[in-house]
Structure formats: structure tokens, C-alpha cells
Amino acid sequence: LVENILHWTASQLKGVPLKMEKFDLYNLVEGNIRLFDTFSVRKKISIHHNVLPGTEITSDQNILNLVLRNLLSNALKFSFERGKITINFKPSHDRLEFSVRDEGTGMDPDKLSSLFSPAPIPLSPAGC
């Protein structure tokens, strides 16, 4: 899923190529959490993660930042006061899977199933 989001995000950036580089995942996660300190303190929401200091990965750091910020922003926006957000990273074969879990209301099953479906492309009448 994250790989799909990375490629989708890259395509949305108007052809900006992926820039694969080695970086410290712990610093990236901590930096993103700090970005939302004011909002999380105001809503009394705790944010936890399982990344160890010094965990290095190779990926597109800018796109991963964008994805993580969006997921954290949504989790904070839809979480109840005094809630908890958990960011989990798990190595899986040649990939690193991550998830952001919150204690908010969630989405109804229909909305969730259509989330990653391509949007229909409008067609114009022939000759227009």
C-alpha cells in the first residue's frame, strides 16, 4: 500500500522522479510527530511509534514525509480527545510496511473499499 501511495504521490507531482536515498527513519518520524505537537497537545492525543533510533532505510524521503504527514494529519483530525495514535513499522522481506492507527470514528465499509479505486474518467461526446 505504501509503495502504491509513493508512486501515486510521485505521479501527482507532475513527473517529478523518485529520489531514492538513505536516511534515518527515526528522525523522519520524530520530525513529523513534532510538526503536530501543538495540535496533539490541544486535543490531548498521544502519538507513539516503534522505530528505533538509527534505523536507516533507502526510499524517497520527501514523498515518505508527505505520506506520513497526511496520514498523521487525518489521524489527528478524526481522533477523539484524549485518544492515541500509533505508527508501526515492520520489515517484511524486501519491504518496510507501516501503518498509522488512531481511535477515531473510522470510515464506513463502502467508503473504505472505494478509497483506492481509480476515479472514473469523464468522456466527452465524439467530435468535441
Side-chain angles (χ1 to χ4, degrees), residues 2 12 16 35 63 106-107 122:
V2 172
Q12 298 304 304
V16 174
L35 283 175
I63 293 176
M107 290 186 205

Side-chain angles (χ1 to χ4, degrees), residues 86-102:
T86 306
I87 305 167
N88 281 311
F89 285 84
K90 179 178 87 171
S92 174
H93 305 292
D94 63 340
R95 302 173 187 261
L96 181 66
E97 299 175 2
F98 81 91
S99 63
V100 177
R101 171 166 278 169
D102 63 66

Side-chain angles (χ1 to χ4, degrees), residues 27-98:
N27 291 336
L28 181 130
V29 172
E30 285 288 317
N32 277 286
I33 291 171
R34 281 193 302 275
L35 283 175
F36 294 101
D37 273 350
T38 303
F39 191 59
S40 61
V41 167
R42 187 175 13 186
K43 282 187 84 171
K44 299 176 180 77
I45 295 173
S46 61
I47 304 174
H48 306 275
H49 67 86
N50 67 340
V51 181
L52 298 174
T55 302
E56 289 190 334
I57 66 167
T58 300
S59 183
D60 187 308
Q61 186 172 355
N62 292 327
I63 293 176
L64 188 54
N65 257 322
L66 180 63
V67 170
L68 188 53
R69 282 182 194 153
N70 284 333
L71 292 173
L72 273 174
S73 175
N74 285 341
L76 282 162
K77 182 177 178 180
F78 296 108
S79 287
F80 299 115
E81 193 170 293
R82 300 188 199 298
K84 178 181 175 183
I85 295 172
T86 306
I87 305 167
N88 281 311
F89 285 84
K90 179 178 87 171
S92 174
H93 305 292
D94 63 340
R95 302 173 187 261
L96 181 66
E97 299 175 2
F98 81 91

